[in-house]
Amino acid sequence: MKSYLAAAIQMTSVPELEKNLAQAEELIDLAVRQGAELVGLPENFPYMGEDKDKLAQAEAIAYKTEAFLKTMAQRYQITILGGGFPIPVEGTGKVYNTALLVDPNGQELSRYRKVHLFDVNVPDGNTYRESSTVMAGTELPSIYADELLGNIGLSVCYDVRFPELYRHMSSKGVDVIFVPAAFTAFTGKDHWQVLLQARAIENTSYIIAPAQTGLNYNRRQTHGHAMIIDPWGVILADAGEKPGVAIAEINPSRLEQVRRQMPSLQHRIF
């Protein structure tokens, strides 16, 4: 594993696929021009809209998004995460919320289907029923071992509230964990940062958390603050509340230092 720059992209995705992909490409270009070699896009980056509209376009979204990720990876010679997009599940009328990691040759490295679905009545008056259109994944995330970038693990948004998922990745030797999200503005202001820092600290791993921000459609307001956090819990980069890029160094020496200073993973009983 080497030292390198990673980027967590922040977008305001809307119910227009082509417009979102164009926005994503601009931000990927910005990240690469700043030296990023590992780039993460947020949950729902190609499409954020009403559930019925998402389902009606799911096949097109899935096809164009996979092609887009492979094209971006090859064009910019980066490893890229598409942090969550719908892929139809045959015969169900539902989709998997799928995160896809692609290498600079355009080859798929890892795929994760979001396990924890957001079925919550938020106190701001909004109700979310992700399970009405999304099929929950049934497999824990695998770890992709990259000689240069480290051991990379995937998760999506609501997963961040379930530490056992991250403990699984930790037990597999994860170094860098993606948490792409479309966190609600109401919960994000209180929980987003502290949950990300907790996952970084307890697993002594880097966290790369791309995010949605602003008003996506109707009353759907997302929190922003795409972040990169080091294994001590230090926030290395924060994209704030506007579309943009959070960039920071992923440093194997820092990983070794923190794990030496705080060897809590070696002290686990359960």
Side-chain angles (χ1 to χ4, degrees):
M1 183 180 176
K2 65 172 186 176
S3 292
Y4 62 92
L5 292 180
I9 286 178
Q10 181 155 290
M11 297 176 61
T12 302
S13 295
V14 295
E16 296 178 54
L17 174 62
E18 298 301 335
K19 185 175 182 179
N20 294 330
L21 295 183
Q23 180 188 176
E25 184 171 351
E26 286 182 12
L27 292 169
I28 292 166
D29 184 77
L30 176 62
V32 171
R33 282 191 279 114
Q34 294 181 55
E37 296 180 55
L38 179 63
V39 176
L41 291 159
E43 183 183 29
N44 300 329
F45 75 94
Y47 191 88
M48 275 195 75
E50 299 289 353
D51 286 342
K52 59 179 173 50
D53 299 325
K54 177 186 72 176
L55 288 179
Q57 301 176 54
E59 284 194 25
I61 295 170
Y63 176 80
K64 291 184 179 181
T65 300
E66 288 202 37
F68 171 82
L69 291 171
K70 291 173 182 179
T71 298
M72 291 297 102
Q74 290 175 300
R75 178 181 301 167
Y76 291 104
Q77 286 298 288
I78 53 173
T79 299
I80 189 167
L81 176 84
F85 60 97
I87 294 183
V89 185
E90 189 174 349
T92 67
K94 294 187 177 184
V95 298
Y96 284 123
N97 187 343
T98 305
L100 189 65
L101 188 68
V102 178
D103 77 5
N105 295 316
Q107 299 298 309
E108 178 180 326
L109 299 177
S110 184
R111 180 180 294 243
Y112 167 68
R113 294 164 172 168
K114 186 179 181 184
V115 170
H116 300 102
L117 303 184
F118 191 58
D119 288 359
V120 178
N121 298 321
V122 179
D124 64 0
N126 284 315
T127 295
Y128 301 91
R129 289 289 178 269
E130 190 174 15
S131 65
S132 68
T133 59
V134 177
M135 183 83 71
T138 58
E139 296 181 4
L140 288 163
S142 59
I143 304 300
Y144 180 76
D146 189 296
E147 288 186 7
L148 298 178
L149 304 180
N151 298 332
I152 301 172
L154 310 183
S155 64
V156 178
C157 199
Y158 192 47
D159 283 333
V160 77
R161 295 181 182 274
F162 300 88
E164 60 273 17
L165 189 82
Y166 300 86
R167 268 295 192 242
H168 164 77
M169 288 192 259
S170 178
S171 72
K172 301 294 182 184
V174 76
D175 300 312
V176 178
I177 300 172
F178 275 107
V179 190
F183 232 72
T184 70
F186 186 89
T187 57
K189 62 183 172 58
D190 296 322
H191 296 167
W192 172 244
Q193 179 178 315
V194 70
L195 284 168
L196 293 175
Q197 288 178 295
R199 299 297 85 86
I201 293 166
E202 68 198 8
N203 297 297
T204 52
S205 297
Y206 280 95
I207 297 288
I208 302 174
Q212 292 284 349
T213 192
L215 185 63
N216 303 98
Y217 65 94
N218 295 342
R219 294 172 59 200
R220 182 70 160 99
Q221 187 94 20
T222 43
H223 174 64
H225 295 281
M227 291 184 182
I228 299 179
I229 299 174
D230 89 349
W232 192 255
V234 176
I235 297 170
L236 303 178
D238 181 339
E241 296 181 356
K242 295 181 179 179
V245 182
I247 291 186
E249 182 184 34
I250 306 298
N251 189 328
S253 297
R254 178 61 168 161
L255 272 173
E256 293 169 9
Q257 177 193 30
V258 170
R259 290 172 177 177
R260 185 172 61 250
Q261 290 176 339
M262 184 58 65
S264 57
L265 294 177
Q266 299 174 32
H267 299 153
R268 289 176 57 206
I269 304 300
F270 302 108

